[in-house]
Amino acid sequence: MDQSAPAAGDTALRTALAQADLVLGGTGPVLSHLLAAPNGTMISEAIVARVRGMLTSLALQIFGNPDKLSNINEIERLSDELARNEGVLRFCHALAFEAELTESLERGRGIDQILSPLMQELIASPTSEIAELAMQAMTAQSRFVQSQRRMEASVHELPAELFSTVLKMWKAIGQDDQAEAVKKVRSKAKKDYDEGAGRAGLLNRLVSSLGEGRLAALDISHAGVAVFATALSAKTSQPRDLAVLSCHKDQRIRLAIGLRAAGLDEAAIRSQFQTLHKDVELACDLAAMLPDQAQSILNDSDLRWSR
């Protein structure tokens, strides 16, 4: 094999991914600004509206009782603080985009937002543990779809690190006369929190249960967006938020490299692109690149997001 061709292709892909990094790395500050003035490419007005709704929803859940004017003011303050937290903003952005993508694929491709063909197969599995886990994941996905229609997000769906961050922010904002009530609600929230029982935790466990069959989860038409993104995250050691956002047309180079790193051949990758971006040409040749090379490019990406 001519060693110079893969090297040249490797350099071109690294350059393209670096450009995608710049786009995605700037979405946090831009989204924070657009919460006041919607505009942009990766961040549509619909995305901004969903994110704003989720931030308010999180603040409402944390305070619990918005009846008093003082509480309403505190809710607004906390919502503003959440909007300035890069991790919270990124989490909400990924959820909003995932919801928008699942809705779009259901309308355009007939891919059910909740019960994909793969999910149906897993629910019907003769292995009771897998069937039960699939039922739980489907229920969690149904809750996600319903909450996104209401532009809401559950505080219990936050990753553990963000959950802890939000509780600290809440404590810092609370008034002295609310200290005891806040302490009780925070205590209950921590007691009820179980990261593994959330949608992301259930999807991770479900994908892990597939073993060697995990490759089937990398067919978005068969697996649905939620399972597809989870499988891509697991196979490439990327944060799930990043795997979700790689499905945006402006991040197509990241998706192509990720799918190659996950083991898909060029024909399978082009099939996924046909489902996601039928009018977008995959302007790179991945045939000569080994999965390990693709994974190395992802690992060396300048975009540093915690898993």
Side-chain angles (χ1 to χ4, degrees):
M1 179 182 293
D2 181 2
Q3 295 297 318
S4 63
D10 183 288
T11 300
L13 287 172
R14 288 178 185 274
T15 300
L17 185 58
Q19 293 171 343
D21 286 347
L22 289 175
V23 173
L24 198 52
T27 56
V30 172
L31 179 55
S32 183
H33 173 72
L34 293 183
L35 285 170
N39 192 12
T41 53
M42 274 198 72
I43 308 171
S44 64
E45 290 187 19
I47 291 287
V48 174
R50 284 185 191 269
V51 171
R52 184 183 289 114
M54 281 187 273
L55 294 173
T56 301
S57 169
L58 290 171
L60 281 166
Q61 291 169 66
I62 287 169
F63 279 95
N65 179 13
D67 294 336
K68 296 181 180 179
L69 181 60
S70 60
N71 277 4
I72 293 175
N73 292 336
E74 297 308 310
I75 287 166
E76 291 177 351
R77 286 180 59 200
L78 179 55
S79 180
D80 290 342
E81 285 296 315
L82 291 172
R84 285 189 283 270
N85 183 279
E86 183 179 352
V88 173
L89 208 55
R90 187 168 62 221
F91 173 76
C92 290
H93 178 204
L95 289 186
F97 174 70
E98 182 178 354
E100 187 176 81
L101 180 61
T102 59
E103 291 169 0
S104 174
L105 289 178
E106 184 174 66
R107 289 193 304 268
R109 296 290 188 173
I111 302 173
D112 195 282
Q113 297 183 59
I114 300 168
L115 195 58
S116 67
L118 178 59
M119 191 69 79
Q120 293 180 53
E121 293 169 10
L122 294 174
I123 289 172
S125 170
T127 305
S128 60
E129 293 84 356
I130 293 179
E132 175 62 25
L133 184 55
M135 281 293 296
Q136 292 174 357
M138 183 196 70
T139 301
Q141 178 66 11
S142 178
R143 287 197 301 267
F144 166 75
V145 170
Q146 293 299 323
S147 66
Q148 282 296 309
R149 286 173 181 166
R150 298 190 298 268
M151 299 187 183
E152 296 175 352
S154 170
V155 69
H156 293 290
E157 293 289 342
L158 290 167
E161 184 177 349
L162 285 184
F163 180 76
S164 177
T165 296
V166 168
L167 291 189
K168 289 176 182 176
M169 292 168 65
W170 176 21
K171 182 179 181 181
I173 286 177
Q175 301 291 331
D176 291 340
D177 62 354
Q178 299 173 329
E180 191 59 34
V182 167
K183 184 177 179 180
K184 287 181 179 178
V185 178
R186 286 180 70 245
S187 178
K188 185 178 187 307
K190 286 193 284 188
K191 180 181 178 182
D192 293 343
Y193 180 77
D194 181 357
E195 186 175 26
R199 185 179 73 112
L202 291 168
L203 288 170
N204 275 325
R205 287 163 54 198
L206 187 64
V207 166
S208 295
S209 75
L210 298 177
E212 293 302 316
R214 192 181 299 176
L215 207 60
L218 291 172
D219 180 348
I220 198 165
S221 295
H222 186 61
V225 174
V227 174
F228 173 84
T230 304
L232 182 59
S233 168
K235 288 286 287 183
T236 60
S237 299
Q238 295 182 91
R240 188 179 185 278
D241 291 355
L242 195 51
V244 167
L245 292 172
S246 73
C247 294
H248 191 283
K249 67 178 181 179
D250 288 348
Q251 292 295 311
R252 55 191 178 275
I253 189 64
R254 183 183 305 283
L255 178 62
I257 296 171
L259 290 172
R260 185 69 185 115
L264 270 63
D265 61 25
E266 189 169 19
I269 294 172
R270 291 188 181 280
S271 175
Q272 300 314 305
F273 268 70
Q274 187 64 25
T275 299
L276 286 165
H277 312 299
K278 63 179 180 179
D279 297 326
V280 175
E281 181 64 26
L282 179 56
C284 60
D285 181 11
L286 298 172
M289 178 165 289
L290 297 174
D292 286 349
Q293 290 175 289
Q295 185 65 58
S296 175
I297 293 174
L298 283 181
N299 292 344
D300 292 341
S301 167
D302 289 335
L303 195 65
R304 304 300 181 194
W305 281 9
S306 59
R307 185 167 171 77

